[in-house]
């Protein structure tokens, strides 16, 4: 017996190998006008889809158990979907609230600009480019303490000549950052 399989014209190359859910995602993409995409896009949408369904059904099961029911019904699923929507997507505040916030914010005048050539900028303390650090230079040591320090350095490194000791940088300043 000869088994002939005719491929419908609507199916593209490799589409007959796709699971039903992948075909649905592909048809959704096509219906939205998306013609070109990488094959992994379908798998990513499927993963997102499955994860969302599992989350909704898990929440629906919790709601069903809380209500003392043995099975999940349509109301449990609706409640789970509504809680996901409320948690995931927030509505922007009403226009009146935004206008009131803008009025309050605009009551505060902008800082005075520094007059001069070029682009006028606000005072330096109001900008993000102002210096946020300062050098902290320690107070000078008394002469006796300075001699003791030199003696200590000489005893620690006896092989260094006077020139080598002078050439070695002595960093006694430190940088203090302020925020």
């Amino acid at each position: 017996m000869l088994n002939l399989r005719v491929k419908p014209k609507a199916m593209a190359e490799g589409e007959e190998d796709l699971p039903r859910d992948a075909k649905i995602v592909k048809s959704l993409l096509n219906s939205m006008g998306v013609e070109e995409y990488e094959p992994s896009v379908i798998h990513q949408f499927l993963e997102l889809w499955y994860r969302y369904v599992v989350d909704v059904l898990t929440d629906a099961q919790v709601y069903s158990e809380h209500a003392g029911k043995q099975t999940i019904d349509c109301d449990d699923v609706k409640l789970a979907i509504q809680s996901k929507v409320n948690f995931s997507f927030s509505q922007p505040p009403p226009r009146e609230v935004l206008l009131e916030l803008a009025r309050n914010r605009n009551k505060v005048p902008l800082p005075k600009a520094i007059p001069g050539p070029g682009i006028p900028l606000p005072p330096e303390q109001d900008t993000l480019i102002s210096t946020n650090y300062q050098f902290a230079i320690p107070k000078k040591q008394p002469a006796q303490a300075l001699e003791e320090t030199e003696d200590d350095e000489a005893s620690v490194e006896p092989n260094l000549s006077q020139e080598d000791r002078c050439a070695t940088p002595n960093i006694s300043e430190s940088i203090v950052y302020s925020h």
Side-chain angles (χ1 to χ4, degrees):
M1 176 180 224
L2 185 60
N3 186 6
L4 294 176
R5 192 167 163 192
V6 178
K7 180 175 155 185
K9 290 182 180 181
M11 277 195 184
E13 276 303 310
E15 192 170 316
E16 69 267 354
D17 298 344
L18 291 176
R20 182 181 61 89
D21 293 343
K23 289 178 185 176
I24 292 171
V25 170
K26 193 170 186 176
S27 68
L28 281 172
L29 288 170
N30 288 335
S31 71
M32 295 177 69
V34 180
E35 299 294 329
E36 295 182 28
Y37 49 86
E38 293 190 21
S40 65
V41 170
I42 293 175
H43 300 292
Q44 290 169 349
F45 272 119
L46 286 173
E47 177 66 28
L48 178 70
W49 183 9
Y50 291 150
R51 191 175 304 167
Y52 181 78
V53 169
V54 167
D55 286 346
V56 167
L57 290 177
T58 303
D59 289 351
Q61 184 178 13
V62 169
Y63 297 144
S64 176
E65 289 173 0
H66 180 72
K69 296 184 277 186
Q70 296 295 324
T71 60
I72 298 172
D73 62 10
C74 187
D75 291 333
D76 298 325
V77 174
K78 286 180 182 178
L79 183 61
I81 290 172
Q82 187 60 45
S83 69
K84 286 282 181 212
V85 168
N86 290 341
F87 180 72
S88 299
F89 307 105
S90 62
Q91 295 294 321
R95 189 172 200 277
E96 295 79 29
V97 172
L98 292 175
L99 288 173
E100 182 63 29
L101 287 172
R103 266 189 239 104
N104 289 337
R105 182 64 180 163
N106 289 335
K107 285 179 184 176
V108 178
L110 293 173
K112 299 287 182 192
I114 300 171
I119 300 172
L121 295 174
E124 193 169 313
Q125 69 268 14
D126 295 334
T127 64
L128 294 175
I129 59 173
S130 62
T131 305
N132 67 349
Y133 63 90
Q134 59 184 346
F135 288 103
I137 301 172
K139 295 178 182 178
K140 293 192 177 193
Q141 299 175 347
Q144 182 182 6
L146 186 59
E147 289 174 6
E148 289 175 6
T149 305
E150 288 176 358
D151 291 341
D152 291 343
E153 288 175 2
S155 63
V156 171
E157 297 183 35
N159 296 335
L160 289 177
S161 66
Q162 184 64 26
E163 291 176 351
D164 290 338
R165 282 192 208 117
C166 292
T168 305
N170 183 6
I171 300 175
S172 60
E173 294 124 6
S174 60
I175 298 176
V176 177
Y177 290 95
S178 61
H179 297 281

